[in-house]
Amino acid sequence: MSLDFKPGAFNGFFRDETFRDDFTYRNSPEGIRRFPFPFDRDDYMYSVNMEPHTSGRKGSVFEHTFDVDEHYVSEMIDRAKVLAEDPLRCQSLPHMTLAGWDLLELIMESKARDYPQWFSLTKDGNRWHWINRPLGIDQTFTFLDESTLPYGPFEYITRQTQGDFSLQDERDNDLWMDAGMITSQADWSLDFDIGMSFMEWHAPVPLAHEKGIFDRALKFLLKLQHGAPVRRFNWTMTVNPLLDTAPETYPKWGPTRTTLSQDNMGNKMHLRVELQALFRLPRSNAVAFSIRCYLGKFEELVTVPKWGRRLHRVVRDLHPDLAAYKGFLRNRDAMAQWLSAYDDGKPTSPGWWPED
Amino acid sequence: MSGGAKLNVRVAEVVEVNALIKRFRFVNRDGSPMPAFSGGSHIVVEMDDSGTRRLNPYSLMSDPEDRAGYEISVRRDDAGRGGSLYMHNHVKPGMEMVISYPVNLFALDSRARKHLMIAGGIGITPFLAQIAQLSHLGGKFELHYSARSKPLGAYMDRLTQAHPDRVHCYFDDEQQTIDLGRILSMQPLGTHLYVCGPKGMINWVLSTAEKMGWPIHALHHEEFLAPGTGKPFDVELAVSKKTITVGTTQSLLEAMEAAGVDAPYLCRGGACGQCETNVLRCDGQLLHRDHWLTPEDHASGQKIMPCVSRFEGKTLVIDR
Ligand code: HEM
């Protein structure tokens, strides 16, 4: 398999690691401290948890519009491998090309502004020059002219950006998932969902429909304004640091759920956090949805005492329908048992920051 | 945050287009490019009309790829509440103003094989931006544009010059009317219909198309309501624990803002739904003027859109 970029930058910051086979992925001590722990209290239930996606604490995953971290280069190599095996993980219906350009512009401008040491964008009218140093890419192209890029604009930029992306067209007071780059998903399929409306692709989610969460979320998103992006968290659990947990490959990874023991739990079980951001795109009026996946081993997370206590309580008390939907009902007791060693029963402070 | 993101702009140019219409060009005060936008978008312009804060929506008419500035056209309404008069009489080049980021409630359907546009009077403005955008992207369109008279047909010259085969003009004073039935019957499958103009025209176009069997999802319209005037009335704001009086030329939303209540809004024209508010008690008559609530909502008396709707009667308590 050939990669279309020449990664030359593992030295120093970017880790050389795998999300398959020997699974050498892990977080550095600094990576653990900035892990986006998603629980701001000791219990969890679905809610319309959205807040403005504005710049947050320095060094945190909220600091920049698109967080680039130590896993960047390895994640992009993993994405290229998934796409080589299954090209349908990236699809864009014909009317979504303009939205793809909008997203390309948003990402290039943000990264060049936020990480000038790694990315640069210079413009001479519609003639653009993009440099991505970590991936060894130097590209001159004409904005809005597809023939000047090696891929369509959406695929081009999302092959260089951590996290899955979907683009929603807005019509008839609804959002339609009409494009996606989905290679690090928590068990859902772009090929199945493409062309669906907001309620259709959310149909499998338990409890949230009855609570009116999706009605309110859709109403909110239809009013989403350019220049005022929002974000929310979602989370699940994954055995092994496997980014690509797709229904298409379930036979490969589903059975790993039966391999857990108290001895390997800390290393094998990962809290999988999705930092999701929503952007109104300017020219196409489409809505971009980014799903950035962060994986944290249980043994890494419990090095923060507050997180150890809280994760134990959340896992122990989670509504069984949610645990079943997230795919860990059968392992829940074993997970809670392992985590209980890190819960001394002391109160936890509100909020998700490690030190507070 | 109510109203969303804002842009600090300077008025670069004011042009008298005809006896009723002036065009305004805004540029970023710091010289940076304006955000790109999609054809059909509007902005909300904030005005300080000798102490009265007015926020009026206007469609962007300039080319979305012109990142140097935004243009709007404002038709003077001598009988209105004063927003358009303020724009005409007080806004001069060099003045600093605040506008909202563009919001699109009248977007082109990007899957359409062809876009059929019907404009009446100042309703031409969103189509100007859409046509510019379609011209860049190679989309198909056909425009039928009617005005009261030749002198009042703003931008007709530039449109017919640029697109002689696609633009058709009609003048009321020459008894020319759009032959809608014939036009609608000649469209290829996959055409979407867009109409912007006076209320009567919108109703006529939509009902004709529906009768001819056009699918609802292929019909699009935009009508901004001016909030309109009315008798003053009192409102109790349950959450803010305030009682306010809404003046004759003020909207309920504006009266809340004047009282320091931060109420949500986007379009301020009864179309977007953002300011929807629950009515807790109503002894009197709600005067609904929005397009957002359903007829059932209107009849229920349990919701109101404070940007355009009013009240007559004894007591009104709302959940804000
Ligand atoms: C356009 C934006 C969005 C897209 C594309 C999207 C997409 C998805 C998809 C594909 C799933 C997986 C469904 C399955 O099991 O097949 C999902 C799950 C879910 N979504 Fe969304 N979603 C969006 C916005 C939102 C928003 C704004 C909310 C806010 C409340 C939300 C709440 C949820 C919840 C609670 C789940 C279940 C997750 C879990 O428990 O693991 N989504 N979403």
Side-chain angles (χ1 to χ4, degrees), chain A residues 46-48 50 166 168 177 188 193 198 201-202 204-205 213-214 217 221 232 234-235 278 289 325-326:
Chain A
Y46 292 145
S47 61
V48 189
M50 286 191 265
S166 66
Q168 283 62 230
M177 193 190 288
W188 65 277
D193 283 1
F198 190 83
W201 78 64
H202 276 124
V205 181
I213 285 174
F214 290 125
L221 291 186
R232 64 181 296 270
N234 187 38
W235 65 276
L278 290 136
F289 185 59
Y325 173 73
K326 291 174 188 287

Side-chain angles (χ1 to χ4, degrees), chain A residues 95-96 98 102 105 109 123 126 143-144 169-173 178 219 223 225-228 281-285, chain B residues 3-5 35-38 65 67 100-104 107 109-111 133 137 217 266 272-274 276 292:
Chain A
H95 62 278
M96 298 307 281
L98 186 60
D102 275 332
E105 175 187 60
E109 286 185 348
K123 299 179 185 174
N126 271 356
F143 188 67
L144 297 179
D169 194 22
E170 179 171 331
R171 314 185 289 271
D172 313 333
N173 261 317
D178 286 347
K219 242 185 169 174
K223 300 282 126 55
Q225 263 193 286
H226 181 216
L281 298 177
R283 295 171 186 76
S284 57
N285 202 39
Chain B
F37 65 96
S38 50
E65 286 307 317
R67 303 281 296 276
S100 72
Y101 259 65
V103 172
N104 202 339
D109 190 310
S110 51
R111 299 164 315 159
Q133 197 174 20
L137 302 171
H217 75 260
L266 266 184
C272 80
Q274 186 75 355
E276 182 180 312
W292 170 256

